[in-house]
Amino acid sequence: MITVGLRIDVDTMRGTREGVPALVKLFEKHAIKATFFMSVGPDNMGRHLWRLLKPQFFIKMLRSNAANLYGYDILLRGTAWPGQVIGDALPHIIRMPHEAGHEMGLHAWDHYTWQAKIDRMSNAQLERHVRLGYDKLTNILGTPPTCSAAAGWRCHDRALQVKEAFRFRYNSDCRGTFVFAPLVNGARVTPQIPVTLPTYDEIIGANGITHDNYNETILALCKPDQLNVYTIHAEVEGIGQLAMFDRFLDQAKQRGISFVPLGALPQLRGVVPDGHMIGEVTEGREGWVAAQAA
Ligand SMILES: [Zn+2]
């Protein structure tokens, strides 16, 4: 018998609108409960994708002085104006996993800004982001989120200290191998449940991993007597890879693997050792991510 903590990260308006209802339905079919980490503020992820996918195009446009040809408003649409607030547009969708009995956590207010700018944000700015997200999600659900997961696994000691005021039962901000309580300036803070397994976008297409063997690759990494935590994205497994993820859940069952919300993992109930969180470069991801120190 192998237990895997399953979390769903919801980063965008589209992931919320399309991915969340599809996953809630799929989990009902498979009788699975998991943890949903929601982004509830402005969706500025377009900027992130733009930067990642089209740097050459952008440079070319600057070089050709396209701004003078087309006007700045067209070029900057969706990149300079704040995105629409997800929690205001789709509160009924955000309530769906809650009403279906899944564990609800805060992922982000503004996913893009947290992920791209956390290093430069002051403690007051960090506090404001968590507060806005916490209050919005509390208003939508009628009850506060009990856990949180930093956007893009971008978290550092200052952010950990800021999050203490919100009294989450646990945080899942980093990659690692076992549940631990980070020491920040010598004091223990809220326990961390690290993500132990890679995500779809990190490994697909590399080292011979294709859609034909992706599910088996992940399932083979799930072992008894160790912490197993897997992250899917509403934008990926909830939309384009929904059929593959449906098969993943069937294949898991055949292997005797069951899924639980992170808050139900037995490791959280035992003695939680001290540890440290550090920034680390990880395969398949741009820049640094928070990781459990070895
Ligand atoms: Zn995310």
Side-chain angles (χ1 to χ4, degrees):
M1 190 66 190
I2 299 173
T3 302
V4 177
L6 179 61
R7 62 178 252 192
I8 301 90
D9 287 11
V10 187
D11 296 356
T12 64
M13 188 76 78
R14 181 159 180 258
T16 308
R17 192 178 51 233
E18 297 175 35
V20 168
L23 288 169
V24 167
K25 202 171 152 199
L26 188 67
F27 291 143
E28 195 186 336
K29 174 184 155 189
H30 289 272
I32 285 171
K33 295 280 189 279
T35 307
F36 280 76
F37 288 110
M38 310 300 299
S39 300
V40 291
D43 179 358
N44 290 317
M45 288 297 276
R47 308 181 192 208
H48 192 57
L49 300 175
W50 178 260
R51 264 191 350 156
L52 289 180
L53 297 176
K54 303 281 184 195
Q56 291 310 318
F57 181 59
F58 193 62
I59 289 163
K60 191 176 154 201
M61 283 211 307
L62 288 176
R63 205 184 291 132
S64 64
N65 203 8
N68 280 352
L69 287 176
Y70 303 114
Y72 280 106
D73 60 327
I74 288 173
L75 293 181
L76 298 179
R77 189 160 294 158
T79 63
W81 296 334
Q84 206 188 352
V85 172
I86 301 167
D88 290 341
L90 303 170
H92 55 297
I93 305 281
I94 293 170
R95 277 191 288 271
M96 287 174 69
H98 179 60
E99 284 160 1
H102 297 283
E103 184 176 48
M104 300 300 286
L106 176 65
H107 194 32
W109 169 250
D110 177 341
H111 195 292
Y112 168 78
T113 300
W114 180 282
Q115 192 174 1
K117 301 182 178 168
I118 180 173
D119 284 329
R120 286 168 278 153
M121 286 162 75
S122 68
N123 285 11
Q125 286 172 316
L126 293 168
E127 211 275 339
R128 181 178 165 274
H129 265 249
V130 182
R131 171 62 63 195
L132 286 169
Y134 182 91
D135 287 351
K136 181 67 76 183
L137 193 50
T138 302
N139 284 336
I140 292 168
L141 302 178
T143 182
T146 55
C147 47
S148 81
W153 290 279
R154 287 273 163 93
C155 194
H156 48 35
D157 282 359
R158 285 194 299 120
L160 288 181
Q161 270 178 323
V162 161
K163 292 216 280 182
E164 283 303 283
F166 296 86
R167 303 192 159 274
F168 293 118
R169 202 177 143 232
Y170 70 87
N171 293 312
S172 183
D173 298 319
C174 65
R175 315 305 278 263
T177 51
F178 56 88
V179 176
F180 70 106
L183 292 172
V184 179
N185 297 328
R188 265 169 77 94
V189 297
T190 301
Q192 284 286 331
I193 302 181
V195 170
T196 67
L197 297 159
T199 62
Y200 171 83
D201 59 304
E202 285 168 2
I203 63 167
I204 195 75
N207 304 314
I209 297 167
T210 67
H211 289 109
D212 293 328
N213 58 25
Y214 176 82
N215 286 346
E216 287 302 325
T217 302
I218 294 292
L219 292 169
L221 294 170
C222 300
K223 305 251 168 69
D225 308 319
Q226 71 174 23
L227 178 70
N228 302 294
V229 179
Y230 185 49
T231 303
I232 64 164
H233 283 88
E235 289 75 13
V236 179
E237 285 86 348
I239 305 178
Q241 302 307 328
L242 186 65
M244 188 176 81
F245 184 59
D246 188 8
R247 289 195 298 276
F248 175 87
L249 296 177
D250 281 332
Q251 288 168 259
K253 196 174 180 182
Q254 286 157 18
R255 281 174 173 258
I257 294 173
S258 61
F259 298 95
V260 297
L262 272 54
L265 283 163
Q267 288 89 345
L268 192 59
R269 293 194 295 269
V271 177
V272 174
D274 295 346
H276 287 280
M277 222 175 64
I278 55 169
E280 206 172 71
V281 173
T282 188
E283 204 179 330
R285 218 155 258 288
E286 188 199 17
W288 64 274
V289 298
Q292 181 175 19

